[in-house]
Amino acid sequence: MAKLYFKFGAMGSSKTAQALMTKFNYEEKGKSVLFIKPATDTRDDNVDAQGNVHTIARSRIGLSAEALAVDGNVDIRALYHRLCVEDGHYDVIICDECQFLAAEQVNQMKALADWDDVPVLCFGLRADFQTFLFPGSKRLFEIADSIMEIKSVCRCGRKATVNARFDENGEIITEGAQVLIGGNDRYEGMCYKCYRELIDRKKLGYQLHL
């Protein structure tokens, strides 16, 4: 019986690297992989000489692969069946940056695992810069068959659990839209204690200047 897997971690925990290595491992065994990524994340996209946009999943350690961009209104189960007719059978689905999926798309991937017997492996963040769950991650916590944390460390040495967002001056941001695409220039995985200390220090500095 196939399963829906959710592997999550903070920024800098090598989620994309693990997704790419998992893709490689399946392909090394002769399996066909449908590698997808929400269209929301465009930071590594590139455009070829013909003007075609290519969605790229790229890890901090240099691994990369082209992925199929999926809009939030796409029925992933229907997409899978259509691509199997057009391209041939896919043995497994791997989704990078799964936190940007719509909740209904997670339901569709669960149906693929349960009814079509297709393993679906999702890699992504648990929560945003304010520690609130992303819609896709929330639904995965609710219905995934297997949930595993990919651990990383904070600057202090504790386990990183929070995705702190920073402005161009390196100051922590506590308000704004849930989705702001960025990498190490915008985000840092931190433990909750260090995260709160930065926020409290910012608040204190603001009060002192009143």
Side-chain angles (χ1 to χ4, degrees):
M1 174 70 73
K3 294 181 179 180
L4 172 61
Y5 298 84
F6 180 32
K7 301 186 179 185
F8 71 93
M11 292 290 293
S13 61
S14 300
K15 301 177 302 302
T16 296
Q18 292 210 22
L20 291 167
M21 288 188 289
T22 301
K23 176 179 182 291
F24 174 82
N25 289 337
Y26 271 102
E27 291 175 338
E28 191 177 37
K29 302 301 181 183
K31 303 297 184 182
S32 180
V33 178
L34 177 57
F35 192 58
I36 65 175
K37 181 180 177 182
T40 304
D41 187 354
T42 59
R43 61 186 150 164
D44 293 316
D45 290 1
N46 60 41
V47 181
D48 63 24
Q50 288 71 45
N52 301 310
V53 178
H54 297 270
T55 298
I56 306 296
R58 191 184 310 279
S59 73
R60 294 178 303 115
I61 61 173
L63 300 175
S64 65
E66 190 163 348
L68 178 64
V70 177
D71 289 325
N73 59 355
V74 169
D75 185 321
I76 294 178
R77 190 180 184 200
L79 173 67
Y80 170 82
H81 286 296
R82 177 172 63 80
L83 292 176
C84 283
V85 171
E86 295 176 357
D87 305 334
H89 180 70
Y90 285 97
D91 298 296
V92 61
I93 299 172
I94 297 176
C95 179
D96 189 30
E97 305 294 350
C98 63
Q99 70 272 6
F100 296 134
L101 293 171
E104 182 56 30
Q105 290 177 313
V106 176
N107 293 339
Q108 294 156 6
M109 295 195 298
K110 176 64 170 165
L112 277 165
D114 287 347
W115 302 108
D116 299 293
D117 202 28
V118 179
V120 182
L121 296 93
C122 297
F123 296 79
L125 300 173
R126 173 177 60 182
D128 63 18
F129 73 108
Q130 293 178 309
T131 71
F132 298 120
L133 291 174
F134 285 99
S137 303
K138 179 178 184 296
R139 191 64 182 138
L140 280 161
F141 274 116
E142 292 166 346
I143 65 172
D145 301 297
S146 174
I147 299 172
M148 185 188 82
E149 183 177 14
I150 303 171
K151 297 178 182 179
S152 60
V153 295
C154 174
R155 58 175 72 172
C156 72
R158 296 185 180 90
K159 185 176 76 172
T161 59
V162 179
N163 303 300
R165 181 187 292 178
F166 296 88
D167 63 19
E168 60 276 6
N169 298 314
E171 189 162 333
I172 194 164
I173 296 174
T174 58
E175 297 179 344
Q178 183 177 53
V179 177
L180 175 66
I181 303 302
N184 293 343
D185 58 326
R186 283 288 187 179
Y187 294 94
E188 181 183 345
M190 309 182 76
C191 71
Y192 190 78
K193 181 175 183 291
C194 288
Y195 167 77
R196 283 304 320 176
E197 285 177 348
L198 285 180
I199 291 175
D200 292 343
R201 195 181 308 158
K202 179 179 180 179
K203 287 181 178 178
L204 179 61
Y206 174 75
Q207 292 168 353
L208 290 174
H209 285 84
L210 287 179

